[in-house]
Amino acid sequence: MKTLKTQVAIIGAGPSGLLLGQLLHNAGIATVIVERQTPEYVLGRIRAGVLEQGMVDLLRQAGVSQRMDTEGLVHGGFQLALGGRQVHIDLHALTEGKTVMIYGQTEVTRDLMAARELSGASTLYEASNVVPHGMKSAEPFLTFEKDGETWRLDCDYIAGCDGFHGVARQSIPADTLKVFERVYPFGWLGILADTPPVHDELVYARHARGFALCSMRSTTRTRYYLQVPADEKVEDWSDQRFWDELKSRLPQVLADNLVSGPSIEKSIAPLRSFVVEPMQYGRMFLVGDAAHIVPPTGAKGLNLAASDVSTLFNILLKVYRDGRTELLEKYSEICLRRVWKAERFSWWMTSMLHTFEGNDAFSQRISESELEYFVDSEAGRKTIAENYVGLPYEAIE
Ligand code: APR
Ligand code: PHB
């Protein structure tokens, strides 16, 4: 058996694991990341693209913001298209100057991978059968297989940054965890295309035929989504069918402006709300998608991962520098306060903007009226805006 030793063992080289690894490395705390897939596979996944100010600041703090700061698009607002009506949510004006950054998760991951490679810190890709052990003891460790050999990685702490299907959460005895979950009866069919965006801001469209979202990755690459039934097959959606359906759900001026083109990627993602409590077990901490999932409507998934990373990093920093081990117990409760607020906002945006087939006529009108109330009231628009730009991170005192 090969043996290794580090301070913080990180499972998963997605954005959570890589960002935590970078912050810890910069602070002189040793990490080893153990990832099941190849780097190419990790980069092949197309995910979110809206970064809150808090995440932007954290990437800057980690020293990986150079390309984001030149290539990312700063957005001071977004559009809500409600039937024929278009409402501008002026994030900048409603939140005293806050904005979001349009920069794809794939690019964030690429920048973090490059920074880690440069730092010389170790990432073990294609590690199979990763298992955490001794989380309740003072000497936790991971075992895994790589290149036909069994490895053991001893550490002080384990960060479970291994996503929704990862091993970290599944290694915690089920009777110590409480699971909160809602599965929605629809998914999002998304396409990526090299076409100019239909609008210079993101457009969230509520329509009787179903929700649609016009997002972008740059001024020449678009990411568009359609609400589809949960059992829809991607093979049934030709590019032409997608563009026709998208046009039918947008206000006329936008439909007239829409430039279509061949898709580079097309896939369907289910929508789910999920939280596990607590987000820790002994010396193992769950970070990001390993602990919670939000439906993508509020653009919160990646941003919540970043706030967990910030919380764990700041706690570990105080533990290693000042011996503040009592802070470790607080990780879960600090994270969960912010997680639940983002869960609420993501659920609310999803409920307001999608068509729910089972809804009776009364519920339908109430939901239309609720959204109209919010957008017609300055207080309502402020509520939407302050959640969309991201609620503050809690300080670790
Ligand atoms: N062993 C090792 N690595 C694993 C294992 C395992 N058993 N299971 C999963 N992984 C790896 C995955 O291959 C993936 O690279 O963990 C990584 C988890 O990455 P993500 O799923 O991207 O999760 P996270 O880093 O928390 O990112 C937050 O925000 O926008 C959302 O869902 C979106 O991925 C995004 C997330
Ligand atoms: C995306 O660009 O992929 C995206 C943007 C905003 C969302 C969800 C997804 O709310």
Side-chain angles (χ1 to χ4, degrees), residues 47-50 188 202 204 213 215-217 223 225 296-299 388:
R47 297 261 180 91
V50 179
W188 279 17
L202 268 57
Y204 289 80
L213 170 61
S215 180
M216 65 188 78
R217 290 289 176 273
R223 179 75 170 152
Y225 298 97
T297 326
Y388 195 84

Side-chain angles (χ1 to χ4, degrees), residues 58 102 135 197 214 222 230 244 278 312 318 341 347 362 389 391:
L58 199 61
I102 306 301
M135 294 89 94
C214 300
T222 47
D244 290 346
L312 187 55
K318 287 197 157 60
K341 287 177 184 150
W347 162 85
F362 180 82
V389 299
L391 296 172

Side-chain angles (χ1 to χ4, degrees), residues 6 9 56 82 207 213 242 312:
T6 192
V56 167
L82 311 173
H207 192 276
L213 170 61
F242 184 94
L312 187 55

Side-chain angles (χ1 to χ4, degrees), residues 90-108:
D90 188 338
L91 297 172
H92 191 266
L94 292 162
T95 63
E96 291 168 356
K98 297 206 175 90
T99 55
V100 293
M101 176 79 83
I102 306 301
Y103 191 65
Q105 176 171 328
T106 313
E107 304 314 312
V108 172

Side-chain angles (χ1 to χ4, degrees), residues 12 14-16 35-37 45 47 105 161-163 166 289 301-302:
S16 298
E35 162 64 49
R36 180 163 56 183
Q37 307 289 354
R45 293 185 293 228
R47 297 261 180 91
Q105 176 171 328
C161 302
D162 49 351
D289 277 17
L302 179 58

Side-chain angles (χ1 to χ4, degrees), residues 27-331:
I29 299 168
T31 62
V32 172
I33 303 183
V34 182
E35 162 64 49
R36 180 163 56 183
Q37 307 289 354
T38 62
E40 295 71 33
Y41 182 96
V42 173
L43 286 173
R45 293 185 293 228
I46 306 211
R47 297 261 180 91
V50 179
L51 313 184
E52 295 171 352
Q53 189 65 52
M55 176 158 193
V56 167
D57 292 344
L58 199 61
L59 290 167
R60 288 185 183 141
Q61 185 188 342
V64 291
S65 64
Q66 208 181 0
R67 205 159 61 89
M68 172 190 75
D69 281 325
T70 39
E71 295 176 21
L73 307 173
V74 174
H75 278 201
F78 67 86
Q79 303 285 320
L80 281 173
L82 311 173
R85 187 177 166 206
Q86 231 173 292
V87 179
H88 180 219
I89 302 294
D90 188 338
L91 297 172
H92 191 266
L94 292 162
T95 63
E96 291 168 356
K98 297 206 175 90
T99 55
V100 293
M101 176 79 83
I102 306 301
Y103 191 65
Q105 176 171 328
T106 313
E107 304 314 312
V108 172
T109 308
R110 201 187 302 283
D111 297 345
L112 284 163
M113 280 179 174
R116 188 157 179 95
E117 178 135 6
L118 208 66
S119 75
S122 139
T123 312
L124 303 169
Y125 286 97
E126 295 179 86
S128 59
N129 201 15
V130 177
V131 182
H133 305 268
M135 294 89 94
K136 284 284 195 186
S137 78
E139 288 154 348
F141 63 98
L142 299 182
T143 54
F144 52 94
E145 275 134 47
K146 186 174 159 53
D147 304 329
E149 283 190 85
T150 302
W151 298 55
R152 173 180 168 135
L153 171 59
D154 287 290
C155 57
D156 301 332
Y157 302 103
I158 300 171
C161 302
D162 49 351
F164 184 62
H165 301 286
V167 65
R169 189 182 70 251
Q170 285 167 32
S171 309
I172 302 176
D175 59 0
T176 66
L177 292 180
K178 199 167 163 120
V179 171
F180 302 83
E181 188 167 26
R182 174 155 304 181
V183 178
Y184 299 86
F186 41 73
W188 279 17
L189 166 65
I191 70 162
L192 195 64
D194 279 328
T195 55
V198 67
H199 193 287
D200 55 12
E201 293 185 337
L202 268 57
V203 182
Y204 289 80
R206 172 182 171 133
H207 192 276
R209 294 181 67 87
F211 170 74
L213 170 61
C214 300
S215 180
M216 65 188 78
R217 290 289 176 273
S218 68
T219 52
T220 56
R221 179 166 285 189
T222 47
R223 179 75 170 152
Y224 292 149
Y225 298 97
L226 291 174
Q227 174 186 355
V228 293
D231 55 1
E232 199 74 3
K233 301 259 174 307
V234 73
E235 306 80 68
D236 292 338
W237 284 84
S238 65
D239 287 357
Q240 193 57 47
R241 183 176 174 205
F242 184 94
W243 294 113
D244 290 346
E245 184 61 32
L246 179 58
K247 273 189 184 173
S248 79
R249 298 184 189 186
L250 295 177
Q252 199 58 50
V253 274
L254 292 178
D256 291 343
N257 264 338
L258 188 76
V259 179
S260 59
S263 64
I264 309 168
E265 193 262 1
K266 199 188 284 156
S267 55
I268 296 182
L271 267 69
R272 180 195 299 272
S273 297
F274 176 94
V275 182
V276 74
E277 293 185 2
M279 289 171 53
Q280 63 192 92
Y281 182 71
R283 287 179 172 240
M284 182 168 78
F285 303 89
L286 302 178
V287 180
D289 277 17
H292 41 72
I293 296 288
V294 287
T297 326
K300 289 285 162 263
L302 179 58
N303 292 300
L304 268 190
S307 57
D308 291 351
V309 165
S310 171
T311 302
L312 187 55
F313 166 65
N314 283 297
I315 288 177
L316 288 173
L317 200 58
K318 287 197 157 60
V319 167
Y320 281 108
R321 291 202 174 153
D322 311 321
R324 299 276 310 277
T325 48
E326 87 284 357
L327 289 173
L328 292 164
E329 287 158 36
K330 297 221 165 82
Y331 170 74

